Amino acid sequence: MADREVTLSIFRFDPEKDKEGRFVDYKVPTVEGMVVLDAVRYVQEKIDTTLAIRWNCKAARCGSCSAEINNRPALMCKTRIDTLGDRITVAPMRAFPVIRDLVTDVDENYRIMSKIPKFTVRKELMNPEAEGKKHQDVWRIQQINVERAKEFKKCIECFLCQDVCHVVREHKSGYFGPRHIVKAASLDMHPLDIVNRAKFLNEEGGLGYCNITKCCQEVCPEHIHITDNAIIPEKERAVDLQYDPLMHAIKRRLMK
Ligand code: SF4
Ligand code: F3S
Ligand code: FES
């Protein structure tokens, strides 16, 4: 039995017909426990089958149903209708080009990902037997290091953090964006990895443009401390690389 009726105001855009998109209102009956994705699928199944949406798991695991619900980046499958008012707007993520209706083109993220230096270990680790060592001995890492990177591994690549970041959205500065700093930080924090990505993030990834507003970590559905645990440590590493106090002291002494 329907609990109440809500008005879903959904952004519609058909690249073959429209120059720009518009919001269209739909009346949707709700039931207890219903999420925004259920309501949008109701519209697609019962009212207008041409509505384009992207979703897969309906369990907040695949990261594909990202949208802006009442102007806030969120997963449609994780946002309950009973936490919202009687009028709900659903729009595509603003940081990415719209393909159709609620579906955006997030390809740029995969291009950025392919630029981040890969996980790299010392050559000996790839073939420990050649040096008479056991694989499980040289690849052993402390539990504390496992725990540290675990948080970053929870990322479901929903790109909501990219969407909310004003630097990614507005300035088109070339800043890679929070999701990609998380990825780089997870590699940099691995004790067997020998690459330091901070300099690269600073010079190629525009890390300096992030002014630590923390909006990214506020919208992350996995509650990853994006700014505190990934961005700030990478910024600190970048500063350390530029300013080595020991080298600075040696140079000053030589100049005397
Ligand atoms: Fe989504 Fe969080 Fe991953 Fe960003 S860091 S893509 S918000 S899960
Ligand atoms: Fe953007 Fe997050 Fe920095 S929202 S400005 S990446 S703290
Ligand atoms: Fe998979 Fe929402 S449908 S995260």
Side-chain angles (χ1 to χ4, degrees):
M1 198 173 66
D3 283 337
R4 64 178 175 128
E5 193 178 68
V6 292
T7 302
L8 225 55
S9 186
I10 302 180
F11 184 84
R12 303 299 310 264
F13 171 69
D14 179 346
E16 284 164 17
K17 292 188 197 150
D18 307 322
K19 276 210 174 97
E20 48 189 44
R22 69 209 181 285
F23 283 90
V24 179
D25 287 357
Y26 303 93
K27 300 272 182 213
V28 178
T30 68
V31 289
E32 200 186 344
M34 195 169 178
V35 290
V36 171
L37 181 61
D38 294 321
V40 171
R41 287 188 58 216
Y42 176 92
V43 173
Q44 190 192 46
E45 283 170 20
K46 309 257 192 228
I47 306 175
D48 186 348
T49 54
T50 68
L51 173 63
I53 53 174
R54 187 188 280 140
W55 69 282
N56 194 344
C57 68
K58 201 179 171 262
R61 301 303 336 137
C62 73
S64 57
C65 69
S66 300
E68 298 203 4
I69 300 166
N70 288 348
N71 294 319
R72 190 172 193 274
L75 294 177
M76 289 195 283
C77 71
K78 207 183 174 186
T79 309
R80 284 178 65 133
I81 292 281
D82 58 12
T83 63
L84 306 165
D86 290 342
R87 186 175 178 81
I88 302 161
T89 60
V90 188
M93 288 190 286
R94 255 185 283 174
F96 307 107
V98 180
I99 297 174
R100 189 185 178 112
D101 300 333
L102 298 178
V103 180
T104 51
D105 179 358
V106 293
D107 267 10
E108 180 60 16
N109 290 296
Y110 301 103
R111 277 190 283 277
I112 295 172
M113 268 180 222
S114 69
K115 291 183 194 166
I116 293 175
K118 293 185 184 59
F119 178 65
T120 312
V121 292
R122 292 192 321 276
K123 261 193 192 148
E124 317 80 270
L125 265 70
M126 298 310 290
N127 189 10
E129 287 82 4
E131 303 199 354
K133 291 179 182 156
K134 285 188 185 153
H135 199 84
Q136 61 266 39
D137 289 340
V138 293
W139 281 88
R140 185 171 296 162
I141 62 174
Q142 300 268 338
Q143 187 61 25
I144 192 171
N145 291 319
V146 175
E147 297 298 331
R148 205 155 60 123
K150 222 183 210 174
E151 177 188 21
F152 301 146
K153 305 282 183 209
K154 291 193 299 179
C155 175
I156 57 169
E157 292 187 348
C158 62
F159 305 126
L160 291 171
C161 56
Q162 296 286 118
D163 183 42
V164 82
C165 175
H166 69 106
V167 186
V168 176
R169 259 190 199 200
E170 290 155 25
H171 301 312
K172 307 287 176 219
S173 57
Y175 173 42
F176 282 177
R179 189 286 167 264
H180 306 292
I181 309 301
V182 165
K183 173 76 185 173
S186 77
L187 296 170
D188 276 340
M189 285 180 191
H190 195 292
L192 299 181
D193 180 88
I194 53 170
V195 180
N196 188 336
R197 292 161 188 81
K199 188 167 184 283
F200 167 78
L201 293 177
N202 223 19
E203 291 172 2
E204 307 285 324
L207 181 60
Y209 286 103
C210 163
N211 53 352
I212 321 206
T213 56
K214 299 198 182 188
C215 312
C216 48
Q217 70 182 28
E218 276 169 29
V219 300
C220 177
E222 288 298 316
H223 309 291
I224 299 171
H225 293 88
I226 302 172
T227 324
D228 299 335
N229 293 349
I231 294 176
I232 292 174
E234 285 295 357
K235 277 178 176 281
E236 285 171 350
R237 270 185 218 121
V239 171
D240 286 350
L241 284 174
Q242 274 171 2
Y243 177 73
D244 181 339
L246 185 63
M247 287 307 292
H248 188 70
I250 293 169
K251 275 184 203 160
R252 280 189 60 174
R253 180 156 284 237
L254 289 174
M255 281 162 67
K256 275 183 187 169

